[in-house]
Amino acid sequence: MILKPTPFHPRTSALCESHAWRRWSGYLAASSYELSHEREYHSIRNAAALFDITPLYKYRVQGRDAARLLDRVVTRDVLRTKVGDVLYTPWCDHRGKVLDDGTVARLGEQLFRMTSADPNLRWLEDCGQGLDATIEDVSEQVAALALQGPTARAILMQLTDAGIAGLKFFRLTATSIRGMPVEISRTGYTGDLGFEIWMQPEHALAIWDALIEVGANYGMAPAGMLALDVARLEAGLMLIDVDYVSARKALIDSQLSSPFELDLAWTVNTDKPSFVGKEALVQEKARGPAWQFVGIEVDWDSFERLYTAVGLAPRVPIPAWRMSVPIFSGGEQAGYATSGGWSPLLKKYIALAHLQSKWAAPGTRLEMELTVE
């Protein structure tokens, strides 16, 4: 399959000195613009970084029953949202196992935009049977950028007409950048101050150029997926197909995860009258999850001893790794890590992991399998 360029590709391709590209939902996405992603990462934490997030799947849900449809699908309470609200939420199958996670933004009283990592059009259509709502895949009709980092707000305030200074976390406003209409949400995937900018594809290059022009005075840099991976690891944010397997793709039951097992209990509103998977989730909430998704810290002294034993200086993984790594307790497997690496912010070797609940309490000492080469 030939990968598609995003509307920003004429700019991103010219800037990508590394020529390191990857596949993202059928699009080309830069892994890093420079030969190393390290400066791009530090732009996130110390200035601002600009990401092309156009490959996200985007759905416009509209109609008298649009809110009811989405409330039926996701675990959050959509009916209580107001125009301008954005919800982060997972959604589940009838067993209460997570299919995907993303955001639901209320653009109008009867208009929503849903984003996801995987295709969800058929699922939304199936769940919308009998409701007065239309669902449209607008993935190619909406271009998107993420501006993340401590100077992000200052950059946007130089460019937008209004609405940015007081924009609260998980809120969205309609505004413009140099006369071009955009929607800006205070959301992101880095754990830092950040915004996501949604626009018509025909305005993509002009808005990119405006951000690059103003951002140059604030230390902004374009950034790729390698830098984003380190930032989301530090923030403890999970990634589908890496940290959990969608219920659509799981081959065996042990690959399935519920929101309670992914540290997403706060997103599950069991007081709602009805939603897909509610019965199973009510039962799991009562008995407690068998697994928990946690952050772990690799003890530096024990890590250093492994290298000293073979006469080598310690080497930490600079790009975040993505693989299943066994975790043990006294010879018994307690769980497995799914992604990890060195955190420049925390100055620690960290990882995300699934642990059986009896080993998931903070402070529990475990063993993780690491290889010294």
Side-chain angles (χ1 to χ4, degrees):
M1 183 182 73
I2 298 175
L3 297 180
K4 297 176 290 188
T6 76
F8 302 102
H9 192 70
R11 299 293 187 267
T12 57
S13 59
L15 292 169
C16 191
E17 298 175 358
S18 68
H19 298 286
W21 298 91
R22 65 176 64 189
R23 178 195 304 268
W24 180 7
S25 299
Y27 285 89
L28 280 168
S31 292
S32 65
Y33 287 90
E34 299 181 356
L35 296 179
S36 167
H37 67 282
E38 293 182 67
R39 190 172 79 91
E40 297 167 27
Y41 161 81
H42 287 291
S43 294
I44 301 171
R45 294 297 183 230
N46 299 294
L50 189 62
F51 299 92
D52 181 358
I53 59 169
T54 302
L56 285 170
Y57 288 94
K58 314 168 200 79
Y59 302 98
R60 181 181 290 123
V61 184
Q62 190 169 11
R64 182 168 56 89
D65 292 331
R68 287 182 59 201
L69 188 161
L70 290 168
D71 200 60
R72 176 186 291 181
V73 172
V74 305
T75 59
R76 300 289 298 274
D77 193 339
V78 178
L79 295 178
R80 294 179 62 184
T81 60
K82 300 175 182 177
V83 175
D85 285 348
V86 183
L87 299 178
Y88 167 76
T89 181
W91 48 98
C92 303
D93 64 10
H94 69 282
R95 299 167 293 179
K97 303 302 182 181
V98 176
L99 293 165
D100 203 344
D101 65 301
T103 60
V104 172
R106 190 161 200 163
L107 308 180
E109 287 298 333
Q110 298 184 0
L111 177 63
F112 295 81
R113 179 174 57 236
M114 184 184 205
T115 66
S116 64
D118 280 350
N120 280 274
L121 180 60
R122 181 176 294 181
W123 182 251
L124 289 170
E125 290 174 339
D126 288 346
C127 293
Q129 293 294 319
L131 296 179
D132 180 11
T134 60
I135 306 146
E136 184 183 0
D137 185 342
V138 293
S139 301
E140 296 188 7
Q141 299 171 31
V142 180
L145 294 170
L147 182 63
Q148 304 284 304
T151 64
R153 181 186 286 112
I155 293 169
L156 286 176
M157 288 181 65
Q158 297 292 315
L159 289 166
T160 54
D161 292 339
I164 297 303
L167 192 63
K168 296 181 179 180
F169 198 36
F170 278 97
R171 292 283 295 171
L172 175 143
T173 186
T175 182
S176 63
I177 291 178
R178 291 186 175 172
M180 293 168 285
V182 296
E183 291 156 350
I184 298 178
S185 56
R186 191 176 159 193
T187 49
Y189 194 52
T190 63
D192 221 306
L193 173 66
F195 301 85
E196 292 176 329
I197 309 164
W198 313 86
M199 70 203 77
Q200 300 167 28
E202 57 265 31
H203 297 146
L205 295 182
I207 290 174
W208 175 279
D209 291 342
L211 287 164
I212 291 292
E213 176 191 327
V214 173
N217 298 321
Y218 293 88
M220 189 190 80
M225 297 299 102
L226 289 174
L228 186 62
D229 224 13
V230 176
R232 67 99 189 167
L233 173 65
E234 290 177 330
L237 301 175
M238 64 185 183
L239 179 61
I240 193 171
D241 294 333
V242 175
D243 299 303
Y244 78 95
V245 178
S246 167
R248 293 191 187 96
K249 301 175 184 176
L251 301 176
I252 54 176
D253 286 348
S254 61
Q255 291 179 319
L256 299 168
S257 298
S258 73
F260 296 116
E261 294 173 321
L262 294 177
D263 196 31
L264 295 178
W266 62 275
T267 69
V268 181
N269 188 335
T270 53
D271 293 331
K272 287 186 355 177
S274 178
F275 62 91
V276 179
K278 177 182 176 179
E279 183 178 345
L281 290 172
V282 168
Q283 294 173 6
E284 183 177 3
K285 183 178 181 180
R287 68 175 182 268
W291 290 79
Q292 294 187 34
F293 189 60
V294 302
I296 62 173
E297 175 189 343
V298 176
D299 177 71
W300 182 260
D301 290 341
S302 62
F303 180 71
E304 189 175 38
R305 280 196 296 272
L306 293 176
Y307 281 85
T308 301
V310 292
L312 293 173
R315 296 179 60 185
V316 293
I318 302 302
W321 47 259
R322 301 175 174 187
M323 57 184 173
S324 183
V325 179
I327 296 176
F328 300 95
S329 176
E332 183 178 356
Q333 187 168 356
Y336 55 98
T338 51
S339 52
W342 176 254
S343 165
L345 180 68
L346 301 174
K347 302 296 187 290
K348 295 177 179 179
Y349 188 161
I350 59 174
L352 300 175
H354 294 267
L355 295 176
Q356 295 179 55
S357 292
K358 63 180 177 179
W359 285 298
T364 303
R365 296 190 66 83
L366 301 163
E367 298 82 43
M368 187 167 78
E369 192 173 284
L370 296 175
T371 302
V372 175
E373 295 182 354

